[in-house]
């Protein structure tokens, strides 16, 4: 029996969406489905039908069906931000002057600033303040089109403060914030000051005290490591990710961001769902990822903000690595919460096509969070997370930039933003 729609979006000028339940790679990444003069029907928060104008008359409606007239605008799936550091105390605007004097990101960290400065503020912040601050940020993300967001711990670096961060994520989920959250444990984000010169002991704390509690309280789905020169080396990263697997956590890795340590090959070896950053990854590392099916989560706003080079996204696509693009929102290397700037940069700096980028921030990002079976595309039986843009077609949102181009956000079939 045909379901009665409770929402219909009609007069869609251009509907662009990848199709399917798995990450797209190679040429497929740049070939989303495009429909003109389209409509979407939603029932109980799930997409029930997608079609073109002439098929709309066949959709069952009643007096309660809400109709949204898109007036010829562009419609895409809701954006999925697959890499953020959402929960933290304080900000780091004081580092701007140091940066302008040419002090590098890793040098600031070695001097006890950077991540360690945010660790001090996060430890001092109350649980309630962390929740409130993250909620304010999520509200802004939602207005910019993000409908699902990953959130990493990693600014606590002691057991209680790490748990405090992950519980804040959980509370926002329980409060049913319209942005769905996905929790990642990143206890190995840096070596805290009290363990300086004693990294082994800190790794022991992560593996023997934090990981068991993450599992016991079901605080995260993924385990991430900052694999970087003077942070965690390959061997240490491997040990932590393998230990995380024993507790049911799927590996992710901050890999080859500033130094080509070989994090991409490690991601392939430990069967990580994604390797993130990859600015300095070698061809061998990328080939290993292609073989293993590891998703590349690229963070162009971080390259921009650290004045670094840009990851070789086109090479990755050519080699068959599925590419996702995320914001890396955090108070140090990427204080930008909108996915729209990374989308523009992915197009203009990586030279990805608008179609490739759209797949990167929807289906491929959903796959990097193990959620491509129910979000990341507009097709029947997927969750109705949908954006209507203040734009007539896809190219427009990549050509135009610097302002919020999202007009309406629909989450689980309900209008949650109208800008
Ligand atoms: O992904 N690179 C490591 N972690 C974050 C930055 C965290 C920070 O600077 O506070 C990143 O860029
Ligand atoms: Fe990060």
């Amino acid at each position: 029996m045909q379901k009665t729609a409770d929402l219909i979006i009609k007069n869609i000028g251009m509907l662009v969406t990848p199709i399917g339940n798995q990450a797209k790679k190679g040429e497929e990444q740049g070939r989303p489905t495009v429909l003109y003069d389209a409509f979407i029907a939603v029932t109980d928060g799930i997409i029930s039908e997608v079609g073109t104008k002439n098929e709309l008359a066949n959709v069952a409606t009643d007096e309660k069906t809400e109709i949204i007239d898109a007036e010829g605008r562009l419609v895409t799936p809701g954006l999925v931000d697959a890499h953020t550091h959402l929960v933290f105390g304080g900000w780091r605007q004081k580092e701007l002057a140091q940066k302008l004097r040419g002090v590098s990101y890793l040098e600031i960290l070695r001097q006890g600033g950077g991540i360690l400065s945010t660790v001090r503020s996060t430890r001092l912040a109350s649980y309630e303040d962390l929740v409130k601050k993250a909620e304010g940020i999520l509200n802004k993300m939602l207005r910019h089109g993000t409908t699902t967001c990953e959130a990493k711990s990693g600014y606590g670096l002691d057991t209680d403060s790490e748990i405090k961060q992950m519980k804040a994520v959980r509370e926002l989920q329980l409060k049913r914030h319209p942005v769905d959250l996905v929790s990642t444990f990143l206890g190995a984000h840096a070596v805290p000051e009290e363990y300086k010169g004693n990294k082994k002991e800190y790794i022991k704390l992560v593996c023997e005290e934090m990981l068991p509690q993450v599992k016991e309280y079901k605080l995260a789905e993924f385990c991430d490591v900052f694999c970087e020169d003077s942070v965690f080396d390959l061997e240490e990263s491997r040990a932590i990710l393998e230990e995380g697997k024993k507790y049911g956590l799927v590996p992710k890795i901050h890999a080859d961001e500033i130094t080509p340590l070989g994090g991409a090959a490690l991601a392939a070896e430990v069967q990580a769902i994604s390797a993130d950053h990859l600015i300095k990854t070698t061809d061998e590392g990328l080939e290993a990822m292609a073989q293993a099916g590891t998703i590349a989560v690229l963070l162009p706003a971080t390259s921009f903000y650290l004045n670094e080079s840009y990851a070789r996204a086109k090479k990755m696509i050519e080699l068959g690595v599925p590419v996702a693009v995320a914001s890396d929102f955090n108070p140090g290397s990427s204080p930008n919460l909108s996915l729209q700037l990374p989308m523009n940069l992915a197009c203009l700096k990586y030279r990805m096509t608008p179609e490739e980028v759209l797949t990167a921030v929807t289906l491929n990002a959903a796959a990097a969070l193990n959620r491509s079976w129910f979000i990341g595309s507009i097709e029947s039986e997927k969750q109705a997370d949908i954006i209507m843009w203040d734009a007539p077609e896809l190219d427009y949102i990549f050509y135009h930039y610097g302002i919020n181009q999202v007009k309406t956000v629909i989450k689980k079939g309900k209008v949650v933003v109208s800008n």
Side-chain angles (χ1 to χ4, degrees), residues 83 85 92 105 115 155 189 226 254 257 277 328 330 332-333:
H83 182 137
H85 303 253
R92 304 227 292 271
Y105 178 77
I115 295 173
Y155 289 124
H189 193 195
F226 188 15
H254 281 65
E257 177 184 358
H277 283 291
D328 195 19
N330 73 70
S333 65

Side-chain angles (χ1 to χ4, degrees), residues 206-403:
V206 169
C207 292
E208 293 179 12
E209 192 176 295
M210 294 185 190
L211 278 172
Q213 299 205 29
V214 173
K215 180 178 161 90
E216 186 178 343
Y217 302 114
K218 295 199 169 49
L219 289 170
E221 281 176 58
F222 301 100
C223 179
D224 196 342
V225 175
F226 188 15
C227 179
E228 182 56 65
D229 183 32
S230 61
V231 193
F232 296 96
D233 66 22
L234 273 185
E235 210 180 302
E236 293 157 345
S237 301
R238 180 186 291 111
I240 294 162
L241 295 174
E242 287 293 355
E243 196 60 23
K245 282 193 329 201
K246 294 186 193 154
Y247 292 96
L249 301 182
V250 177
K252 281 184 169 278
I253 178 167
H254 281 65
D256 308 323
E257 177 184 358
I258 301 162
T259 327
L261 279 192
L266 176 63
E269 179 196 319
V270 302
Q271 291 172 304
I273 194 163
S274 73
D276 302 29
H277 283 291
L278 305 173
I279 296 174
K280 301 284 166 60
T281 302
T282 60
D283 285 1
E284 292 72 40
L286 296 181
E287 277 154 16
M289 283 178 62
Q291 276 285 323
T294 318
I295 298 168
V297 176
L298 304 184
L299 310 165
T302 310
S303 288
F304 170 72
Y305 204 73
L306 295 182
N307 218 2
E308 272 282 352
S309 51
Y310 286 84
R312 295 181 299 147
K314 284 301 250 188
K315 181 75 187 175
M316 296 177 197
I317 292 173
E318 184 194 309
L319 289 174
V321 177
V323 171
V325 166
S327 72
D328 195 19
F329 172 68
N330 73 70
S333 65
S334 184
N336 157 63
L337 54 78
S338 165
L339 262 171
Q340 294 176 53
L341 175 67
M343 286 166 71
N344 288 118
L345 291 171
C347 182
L348 295 168
K349 295 295 186 180
Y350 293 158
R351 315 308 283 182
M352 287 170 73
T353 64
E355 290 80 7
E356 287 168 341
V357 181
L358 183 78
T359 303
V361 291
T362 56
L363 190 64
N364 283 9
L369 300 180
N370 204 6
R371 277 159 171 70
S372 49
W373 61 277
F374 75 97
I375 56 169
S377 63
I378 296 178
E379 54 191 309
S380 55
E381 293 180 15
K382 282 219 177 172
Q383 187 166 289
D385 294 357
I386 298 165
I387 298 177
M388 183 163 86
W389 298 82
D390 189 14
E393 56 188 23
L394 188 67
D395 282 357
Y396 185 92
I397 61 171
F398 289 91
Y399 131 88
H400 201 55
Y401 82 112
I403 54 157

